[in-house]
């Protein structure tokens, strides 16, 4: 598990993600990074009042709440706080079952109505971007 993480503000999330970088797209209100355990899975954290919030203090970022990769084989769980990665407790099977139900409903709610959150000039890009997100989410819930 890495202990530090940097960030990069981008318009659209690049195809290749480096380890240890949180890519933040304000136009799409989404942050993406590779799992901090090193397994390489891409972690999508939608920025939304009912999802994640991002704090940028001018030097480093924090994400709230914690990052719970319960659908990945690694099941890693950690906090990103001012550019540092803090390990959190591992999930139990019962917790994962609960989270799966809650987050599926919320994520579908967030991603099935993207139009209002995407600037009009970004619309052509948005289409493929939302498709990629949908694929990611599909993988998470398989
Ligand atoms: Zn992992």
């Amino acid at each position: 598990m890495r202990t530090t993480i940097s960030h990069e503000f981008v318009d659209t999330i690049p195809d290749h993600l480096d380890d240890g970088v949180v890519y933040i797209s304000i136009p799409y209100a989404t942050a993406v990074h590779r799992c901090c355990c090193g397994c390489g899975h891409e972690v999508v954290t939608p920025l939304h009042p009912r999802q994640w919030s991002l704090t940028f203090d001018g030097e480093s970022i924090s994400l709230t709440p914690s990052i719970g990769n319960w659908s990945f084989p690694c099941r890693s769980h950690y906090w990103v706080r001012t550019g540092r990665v803090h390990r959190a407790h591992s999930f139990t099977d019962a917790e994962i079952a609960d989270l799966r139900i809650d987050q599926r409903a919320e994520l579908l709610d967030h991603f099935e109505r993207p139009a209002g959150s995407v600037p009009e000039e970004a619309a052509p890009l948005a289409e493929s971007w939302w498709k990629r997100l949908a694929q990611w989410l599909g993988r998470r819930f398989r």
Side-chain angles (χ1 to χ4, degrees):
M1 174 84 82
R2 66 170 41 253
T3 55
T4 60
I5 194 158
S6 62
H7 64 275
E8 199 173 307
F9 287 102
V10 293
D11 286 335
T12 56
I13 306 297
D15 286 334
H16 174 80
L17 306 181
D18 282 333
D19 279 342
V21 181
V22 179
Y23 296 87
I24 301 149
S25 169
I26 300 297
Y28 295 95
T30 299
V32 179
H33 70 279
R34 283 188 182 274
C35 179
C36 287
C37 88
C39 71
H41 277 90
E42 292 174 349
V43 181
V44 181
T45 46
L47 306 177
H48 183 273
R50 296 200 346 257
Q51 299 280 330
W52 280 271
S53 62
L54 175 87
T55 309
F56 174 53
D57 65 8
E59 289 184 358
S60 59
I61 58 146
S62 303
L63 281 167
T64 308
S66 60
I67 311 293
N69 296 323
W70 38 267
S71 63
F72 299 160
C74 67
R75 291 188 175 186
S76 63
H77 184 199
Y78 48 86
W79 291 86
V80 174
R81 284 272 179 266
T82 58
R84 299 196 157 269
V85 181
H86 302 277
R87 187 191 294 264
H89 78 278
S90 299
F91 292 107
T92 64
D93 286 338
E95 282 176 316
I96 288 169
D98 286 348
L99 287 165
R100 204 178 287 271
I101 291 163
D102 289 353
Q103 292 199 353
R104 178 201 286 266
E106 296 219 342
L107 284 172
L108 289 179
D109 192 44
H110 183 64
F111 284 110
E112 277 180 353
R113 289 182 285 110
S117 61
V118 178
E120 265 180 36
E121 64 270 24
L125 278 174
E127 197 173 316
S128 63
W129 171 231
W130 287 112
K131 265 184 205 148
R132 277 188 71 190
L133 272 181
Q135 283 167 2
W136 269 324
L137 293 171
R139 285 208 299 269
R140 285 190 68 134
F141 292 118
R142 201 164 289 153

